[in-house]
Amino acid sequence: MSKTLAQISIFLLLFLSGLVQAQNFSISGKIVDSESGEYIDGVSVTLRGTAFGTTTVAGGNFEFKNLPKDKYILAVNYNGYNRLEQSIKLKEDTNLGTIPLVRLGASGSGQALQKTIRADNIIRLLNERPNFIGGNMVYGIPPEPKKLEGNNYLDSKWNRASILLYRDQQMLEGFRARYNIVSNMFELMEPENNLVSVMPGLRVQNIVWIDSTYQVPRYFVNGMDFREDGAPISGFFEVLVDGELSLMRRTTAFLKESNYNQALMVGERNDKILKRNTYYYLEGKNIIEIPRKRKKFFQIFGDKAEEIEAYTSNNSFNVKDPSAIFQIFTHYNSMFPGFKPIINQLLDEVDQP
C-alpha cells in the first residue's frame, strides 16, 4: 500500500470513529430530598436492562456518558425512599435537572393524599421538568361500536401521569395514561411511541395526571386503602380537597339503553354510556357519601357546623350543588394551619341522568 493510500485509510478510520462518537450522548441529573431539598449522595442510579449503573456523588450528582441514541428507563433507588423510574428517549445530551426523592411513609397526617403526590411536589416537577406536561395523543385503541355512544373512560384523552405502585412503593413517570372505570384498568402509553400496555388498577396506589384540557394536576387514590361500610372499595377516588376533612369524588359509568319506538319513530336510537359523579368525605379510613339533606350535611363539620352554615347562607350556596360543596369544603379546611388547595375550581363535566 502506498504512503498516500495509508494516510487516506487512517483519515477514514478517524473520520468514521468521530461519526460513531458523535452519535453518543449523556444523561445527567441531581438527586435531592423532596421535602428538605438537600442533595443525597450514594443513591443507586441505573439504566434498567443495561450494564450502565452509577451512584450519586459530590452533591447528589450523577452522569452517564457515551450512551447510544436509544430509549432508556432511568431507575433511582435509595434505602428509605420511594423508588422512581423515568422513561427517557435519548437523542441529545440530556440534563434531567433536580430529581426529588420522597421518603417512605412521608404522608404524615393520614390525609387522603400520599406525600408523593402532594400538589407542591407535582408543581416542583412541572417547574423543574417542563417536559412532564404531556399532550392528548390517541393511538392504537379501537373505536367504540357504532351502536353505542360514549365510552367507559374517566377521561378519554391521554394525560401525562405520575404513578405510585403498591409494590416497593415504585414511582413511574413520563407515561401517558387513561383509566377504564368499568374494568378498573389503566392504559399506559410509552413516551415517543404508540405502544399501549394495560395495568390492573389493583397495582396502583396513587396516580396524578396533568389534565390535557385545563393543564392542572388531578389526583386519584385507590379505594382499596379506604373503607365503605367496613369493606374496601374497588376503583379510584379523585381527591378534590385534601386537609382536615377531605372531599373525594367517584365517577361511575352506566348503560342507558335505547328507548327508540320504531313504529312511532320517537326516542333515542342508540345505547349510551353515561357517567355519574358521587361525592364523599373522608373520616379516618372511612369514606362516607355526602348527605343530601341540609341538616345532616352541616353535622359533618362538627363544632364548626354553625360557622359553616352561616358561610353557606351568606353565599347562597345550595348544598346539593357540587361546586358549592367544593367551595364549602375548601373554606372549612382553610380554617386549619398548613392547608393548601390542590385545585382552584371544580372540574365537573360528566353526564348526569
Side-chain angles (χ1 to χ4, degrees), residues 44-94:
S44 171
V45 185
T46 60
L47 299 179
R48 200 178 72 190
T50 75
F52 294 101
T54 186
T55 56
T56 56
V57 294
N61 293 292
F62 68 90
E63 185 175 14
F64 296 101
K65 297 181 179 180
N66 297 325
L67 297 174
K69 181 180 178 180
D70 203 349
K71 189 182 78 171
Y72 297 94
I73 301 293
L74 183 81
V76 181
N77 194 16
Y78 190 63
N79 189 35
Y81 285 77
N82 288 324
R83 184 181 178 188
L84 183 143
E85 291 192 357
Q86 181 179 353
S87 179
I88 301 169
K89 186 75 170 181
L90 187 64
K91 50 189 176 182
E92 61 184 1
D93 290 339
T94 301

Side-chain angles (χ1 to χ4, degrees), residues 1-13:
M1 180 182 293
S2 68
K3 183 177 179 180
T4 302
L5 288 176
Q7 289 174 334
I8 293 174
S9 298
I10 293 172
F11 174 78
L12 287 175
L13 287 172

Side-chain angles (χ1 to χ4, degrees), residues 3-4 23-24 29 43 58-59 98 101-102 128 138 145 187 216 226 230 233 263 270 274-276 284 297 305 322 353:
K3 183 177 179 180
T4 302
Q23 293 175 353
N24 289 348
V43 177
T98 301
L101 280 191
V102 181
E128 294 176 353
V138 179
E187 294 171 1
V216 296
F226 305 104
I233 311 149
N270 296 330
L274 301 179
K275 300 182 180 77
R276 177 190 294 123
F297 174 81

